Amino acid sequence: MNVRRALAAFLSLTVCGLTSVTPPAAAFPVPFGKYVALGDSYSSAPLVPIVDLLSLGCLRSGGNYPKQLAEALDVDAFTDVTCGGADTTHMTGWQKTPLGVFPPQFNALTADTDLVTLGIGGNDFGVFGSVISTCPGLRASDPTGDPCRKHFTVNGVDTLKANIDKTQARITEVVKGIRARSPQAKILLIGYPKIAPETGTCPAILPFADGDYRYLYAIEEHLNAAVAKAAAAGGATYIDTFGPSTGHDACAADGVAWIQGKDLDLFRAANYHPRYEGQAAVALITYVNLVGGFPIIDAAQQATWAAEARHLRTQAASLSRPVPPYHHLLPR
């Protein structure tokens, strides 16, 4: 059994175990013929095992949530064009990476596409990248304060939130573009899971000033709200991963966290990006939304994901395949 099939079998078993509260008719996958996955690095899952060597420029994982979802749904045709570093402009424009130039993601859409997932918005106007590249360096100046929030507040205006407001309009246009190209498609806009906890700090993992944890949390809340509003405006469905990721932020214990902290792990995840556990969770959350239930993520399931992650990490390390430069592809 190849890795994708193994992941699919695992996810299918997991879903069956977690949808007992769903009416029997919803226990079977909704039939989809042609599924296209669009999005940025939170969808492509850079360095999550096993790396898809056919798309190294985009650092697309063989175990990302689109691939797990496609297998669980048993779609007839699946195209994954998610790409690290992508923003809304790369839906219709070419994307340059250190390892090649990739065509517009919309090129994958066809008139008979009937399912589309889209995870986008964090890279527009450099929001995520600005936070990650700026905030840790400000901690030393005011470790118990909120120097990052102050840095991005200009004349009383939070510039990051202002840029997110502009991103909302862009995402709305992206949804319209999907609808124009694939008029029969069910469109799912996938939200971003929590990086920072709602309370508490873990500076060894997230090197932010204490007061800026709440700021990072608020920025993600604002971004997810923008994605949800864009979905509503375009008649798409918003998939909330922010709420279900409570307790699974980067500060959570190893095996429980869905997000990698500041340290890059070549066989696990890029820094500040989802681990395998996070990708599996998003696949489950999306799958259950499609079949009409709601996800229940308990300790037993989390332990199963963690065990699978360890197995895949070991397998990836044993392959000893070179990893391409990644930093140009991640949120700017």
Side-chain angles (χ1 to χ4, degrees):
M1 180 181 291
N2 64 27
V3 172
R4 287 182 59 194
R5 291 290 177 186
L7 294 177
F10 161 72
L11 180 59
S12 297
L13 289 172
T14 299
V15 170
C16 290
L18 292 180
T19 55
S20 58
V21 296
T22 306
F28 299 94
V30 177
F32 289 104
K34 193 170 186 179
Y35 167 30
V36 174
L38 313 173
D40 60 22
S41 56
Y42 266 61
S43 297
S44 68
L47 305 186
V48 169
I50 301 290
V51 175
D52 179 355
L53 293 179
L54 296 179
S55 61
L56 282 181
C58 287
L59 286 179
R60 201 175 296 138
S61 169
N64 64 6
Y65 76 76
K67 292 183 176 67
Q68 294 189 50
L69 181 63
E71 293 285 2
L73 291 171
D74 194 26
V75 296
D76 296 329
F78 169 59
T79 304
D80 182 1
V81 291
T82 60
C83 194
D87 60 33
T88 54
T89 67
H90 297 122
M91 300 300 105
T92 56
W94 288 73
Q95 181 179 352
K96 294 181 180 179
T97 77
L99 294 176
V101 181
F102 289 80
Q105 293 191 22
F106 273 5
N107 284 10
L109 298 172
T110 58
D112 60 343
T113 299
D114 55 4
L115 177 64
V116 177
T117 57
L118 171 67
I120 205 73
N123 288 326
D124 282 72
F125 303 103
V127 169
F128 268 6
S130 295
V131 171
I132 291 169
S133 63
T134 302
C135 299
L138 297 175
R139 174 180 168 80
S141 67
D142 187 8
T144 61
D146 57 351
C148 184
R149 184 192 65 79
K150 293 174 180 175
H151 175 85
F152 287 110
T153 302
V154 180
N155 296 324
V157 176
D158 187 320
T159 57
L160 293 183
K161 289 184 177 180
N163 282 333
I164 289 172
D165 291 339
K166 291 187 288 186
T167 298
Q168 179 182 324
R170 286 185 171 192
I171 300 174
T172 300
E173 290 303 309
V174 169
V175 174
K176 291 179 181 178
I178 296 171
R179 184 71 66 200
R181 292 164 176 79
S182 304
Q184 304 304 315
K186 184 173 183 64
I187 304 171
L188 306 179
L189 267 59
I190 313 298
Y192 291 89
K194 293 176 181 177
I195 300 174
E198 188 169 4
T199 60
T201 64
C202 58
I205 297 173
L206 293 179
F208 290 71
D210 293 356
D212 281 327
Y213 276 73
R214 182 58 197 169
Y215 182 59
L216 174 57
Y217 191 94
I219 290 299
E220 270 208 276
E221 274 189 314
H222 200 72
L223 176 60
N224 278 305
V227 174
K229 291 174 184 176
T237 299
Y238 170 65
I239 304 297
D240 175 27
T241 67
F242 192 76
S245 64
T246 299
H248 300 286
D249 53 81
C251 290
D254 190 37
V256 177
W258 293 356
I259 303 293
Q260 182 73 6
K262 66 178 179 63
D263 296 322
L264 168 76
D265 188 326
L266 292 177
F267 303 112
R268 191 171 202 177
N271 47 342
Y272 300 107
H273 279 72
R275 296 174 173 178
Y276 171 79
E277 294 94 325
Q279 291 292 300
V282 172
L284 171 65
I285 292 165
T286 307
Y287 181 98
V288 175
N289 178 280
L290 287 171
V291 302
F294 59 89
I296 303 171
I297 298 169
D298 59 21
Q301 177 167 359
Q302 186 65 45
T304 302
W305 288 340
E308 183 70 13
R310 288 192 295 270
H311 170 73
L312 290 173
R313 184 182 183 184
T314 300
Q315 189 175 16
S318 70
L319 294 175
S320 299
R321 289 172 174 168
V323 177
Y326 73 92
H327 51 280
H328 297 297
L329 305 176
L330 304 183
R332 297 179 294 278

